[in-house]
């Protein structure tokens, strides 16, 4: 059986040093990339928070209720939240999602294609994107109310921009 072309491309990109460039503030976020199976549709054209998390990460567990509150407050104003799991175990991913029942889309980054492409520094890390898909803010780690307040300010700023 021949491997699927996207799997081959993902493997090549994962092994290519230049494909693992760190995404920083000011950079375009790879919302459209064949290595991740197409587009991250929920975030295109919106102010977005793309959060990388893992079921084994205690700060990740603390961040999910806060992201739920952000979703309630700002989704009607144009915010999209997408949580990307780096779990190796689909069962652990499923347990986490069932336990927290997030009101925003979550996905499992099988094979770590996106996390490797972005070069995520730690779990959790979230990238706050403007409507054009450019990283405007980044939060490595989750620090409770400090992170929550920063995210609210940043989201409000980006939503108010035309």
């Amino acid at each position: 059986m021949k491997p699927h072309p996207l799997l081959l491309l993902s493997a090549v990109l994962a092994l290519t040093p230049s494909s693992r460039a760190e995404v920083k503030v000011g950079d375009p976020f790879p919302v459209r990339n064949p290595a991740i199976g197409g587009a991250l549709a929920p975030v295109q054209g919106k102010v977005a928070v793309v959060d990388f998390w893992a079921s084994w990460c205690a700060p990740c567990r603390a961040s999910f209720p806060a992201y739920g509150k952000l979703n309630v407050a700002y989704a009607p104003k144009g915010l999209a939240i997408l949580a990307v799991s780096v779990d190796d175990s689909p069962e652990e991913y499923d347990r986490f999602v069932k336990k927290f029942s997030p009101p925003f889309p979550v996905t499992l980054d099988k094979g770590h294609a996106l996390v490797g492409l972005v070069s995520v520094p730690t779990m959790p890390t979230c990238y706050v994107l403007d409507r054009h898909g450019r990283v405007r803010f980044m939060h490595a780690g989750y620090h409770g109310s400090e992170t929550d307040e920063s995210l609210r300010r940043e989201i409000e700023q980006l939503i108010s921009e035309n």
Side-chain angles (χ1 to χ4, degrees):
M1 178 164 63
K2 291 176 78 175
H4 189 276
L6 284 179
L7 291 176
L8 288 175
L9 180 58
S10 294
V12 169
L13 287 174
L15 296 173
T16 306
S18 62
S19 70
R20 299 182 66 94
E22 177 183 0
V23 174
K24 301 178 294 304
V25 171
D27 292 344
F29 193 86
V31 295
R32 297 188 67 73
N33 194 293
I36 56 173
L40 299 178
V43 305
Q44 289 185 298
K46 297 183 178 187
V47 171
V49 173
V50 179
D51 179 59
F52 290 89
W53 62 278
S55 62
W56 45 261
C57 165
C60 299
R61 288 189 291 275
S63 71
F64 262 60
Y67 289 142
K69 290 176 185 174
L70 289 173
N71 188 69
V72 168
Y74 295 106
K77 299 176 183 179
L79 176 70
I81 297 175
L82 176 64
V84 181
S85 171
V86 301
D87 280 300
D88 290 321
S89 165
E91 295 80 20
E92 292 298 321
Y93 164 84
D94 289 339
R95 270 195 285 280
F96 186 98
V97 171
K98 185 176 180 182
K99 178 179 180 179
F100 286 95
S101 298
F104 45 83
V106 295
T107 188
L108 179 59
D109 185 11
K110 295 177 185 169
H112 299 175
L114 183 57
V115 73
L117 185 65
V118 175
S119 193
V120 176
T122 190
M123 291 300 125
T125 293
C126 77
Y127 296 83
V128 183
L129 315 180
D130 64 20
R131 296 180 202 280
H132 306 288
R134 191 160 296 279
V135 177
R136 296 283 296 274
F137 305 97
M138 183 184 123
H139 297 272
Y142 178 75
H143 308 286
S145 61
E146 177 186 328
T147 302
D148 297 345
E149 290 169 16
S150 293
L151 284 169
R152 284 185 180 276
R153 278 193 310 272
E154 295 159 4
I155 290 165
E156 288 176 8
Q157 175 189 329
L158 295 176
I159 286 175
S160 71
E161 293 177 0
N162 290 329

